[in-house]
Amino acid sequence: MSSVKIIECPRDAMQGIKTFIPAIQKAAYIQALLRVGFDTIDFGSFVSPRAIPQMQDTAAVLDLLDLSKTTSKLLAIIANTKGAEIASKHPQIDYLGFPFSISENFQMRNTHKTIAESLITLEEILNIAYKSNKEVVVYLSMGFGNPYGDPWSIEIVGNWTEKLARMGVKTLSLSDTVGSSTPEIIQYLYSNLVQQYPQIEFGAHFHTTYDKWFEKIDSAFQSGCSRFDGAIQGFGGCPMAKDELTGNMPTEKLLSYFTSNKINTNLNPLSFESAYNEASRLFSKFK
């Protein structure tokens, strides 16, 4: 494997911040990210403003972006068909991201739907995406373990992957929502799933504590994963997971790992440094 895709997630970094960040400042930060060369930027979400107040101005932020000189694609998170319909009307958006949890408790907490109801919603979202020339990225949350008491096993993950593959899902990002993954589970899942489902692009959306980042990246990459989500400086995490100790995978750690292994990330180092500094300014002001 000579190259990987890095997906930067400012939406994930910002969504849990209580102080509202004005659209113009969100857009300025995302604009800095657009210059870096990320494959995709998870820039916002079309969800209930009651659930995620920080993201209520996603459409306004989108209108402020200059996309004329970037190769990066844009991804917006949606949680239901209404969000998919709204997002699909924006030609600038390439991907609709749908969080699908194999934990009944977490799916209810995250989208207020059961797993059975979420499967129906996903079918509708896939149809909306097809008609509007978008692609769907499904995030399999609790993909590496479950702290909520629901049944979890490698076999359950495999069974859900099979169901999603039959539905036509082409991009499936296994999500370590509360940082519970181990190198052994990561290695087993990717080495088996990547080989079994060559038609699916598997991604890794890791949340991590500071001391565990290397083993998570290394075990996923060595097992065939070539799509990695990150957030500069590890800002953010899932506000529904209630775990303040677990942040996003720091993008600079991804860059360090792949650069040292001579794997192409297509990122511009100077532009990345500029975006890193922009993140420091933004997230020191809004916490």
Side-chain angles (χ1 to χ4, degrees):
M1 200 184 304
S2 60
S3 66
V4 293
K5 293 180 180 179
I6 306 294
I7 288 74
E8 178 64 21
C9 304
R11 183 268 320 164
D12 208 348
M14 291 187 282
Q15 67 179 2
I17 294 175
K18 300 292 187 288
T19 307
F20 190 72
I21 305 171
I24 194 164
Q25 295 194 47
K26 288 189 181 92
Y29 178 48
I30 295 167
Q31 196 68 54
L33 297 173
L34 287 166
R35 292 189 282 268
V36 177
F38 294 108
D39 179 84
T40 303
I41 296 179
D42 173 357
F43 82 102
S45 61
F46 293 90
V47 299
S48 166
R50 292 189 302 277
I52 309 289
Q54 189 65 254
M55 293 291 109
Q56 62 187 286
D57 61 349
T58 289
V61 171
L62 183 59
D63 288 340
L64 290 168
L65 298 177
D66 178 4
L67 303 173
S68 63
K69 296 178 182 176
T70 186
T71 58
S72 297
K73 297 175 281 291
L74 293 182
L75 180 149
I77 295 293
I78 46 94
N80 51 39
T81 52
K82 180 183 177 182
E85 286 166 353
I86 294 169
S88 69
K89 289 180 169 61
H90 295 277
Q92 308 99 308
I93 294 173
D94 301 281
Y95 296 109
L96 307 180
F98 181 69
F100 180 82
S101 181
I102 57 177
S103 155
E104 196 77 67
N105 281 315
F106 191 74
Q107 190 67 17
M108 285 296 296
R109 181 184 290 203
N110 208 22
T111 67
H112 304 293
K113 284 186 171 65
T114 64
I115 288 177
E117 289 169 334
S118 296
L119 275 176
I120 296 169
T121 298
L122 176 56
E123 190 72 62
E124 294 168 345
I125 289 168
L126 287 165
N127 288 330
I128 291 167
Y130 178 77
K131 291 175 183 175
S132 57
N133 199 31
K134 312 289 187 198
E135 295 182 45
V136 176
V137 177
V138 175
Y139 294 88
L140 198 69
S141 60
M142 303 300 153
F144 299 96
N146 189 322
Y148 295 106
D150 299 304
W152 185 93
S153 68
I154 286 166
E155 289 73 26
I156 289 173
V157 176
N159 290 339
W160 278 114
T161 301
E162 174 65 22
K163 289 178 184 177
L164 296 172
R166 287 180 185 172
M167 291 176 71
V169 171
K170 294 287 192 293
T171 307
L172 185 60
S173 190
L174 303 184
S175 298
D176 184 16
T177 316
V178 292
S180 59
S181 65
T182 64
E184 294 75 22
I185 290 174
I186 293 169
Q187 187 274 332
Y188 186 89
L189 284 173
Y190 285 110
S191 61
N192 283 278
L193 294 177
V194 169
Q195 188 173 22
Q196 193 171 349
Y197 299 96
Q199 77 277 25
I200 294 178
E201 180 180 29
F202 286 94
H205 185 97
F206 290 126
H207 290 181
T208 184
T209 51
Y210 198 77
D211 59 332
K212 301 290 187 183
W213 68 267
F214 180 88
E215 65 184 41
K216 292 179 190 289
I217 300 170
D218 187 58
S219 49
F221 178 69
Q222 298 298 338
S223 304
C225 181
S226 60
R227 178 188 176 96
F228 290 82
D229 290 11
I232 288 176
Q233 297 185 44
F235 289 122
C238 182
M240 303 302 177
K242 309 299 184 190
D243 187 347
E244 295 178 0
L245 299 177
T246 306
N248 278 300
M249 173 62 69
T251 310
E252 61 272 18
K253 299 301 185 185
L254 289 168
L255 190 55
S256 170
Y257 176 87
F258 292 120
T259 300
S260 65
N261 284 282
K262 297 182 171 53
I263 304 298
N264 185 19
T265 61
N266 295 306
L267 304 190
N268 182 298
L270 289 177
S271 296
F272 181 80
E273 184 178 348
S274 176
Y276 185 97
N277 293 336
E278 192 70 33
S280 296
R281 285 190 288 270
L282 183 71
F283 293 105
S284 63
K285 184 175 180 182
F286 298 97
K287 297 180 180 179

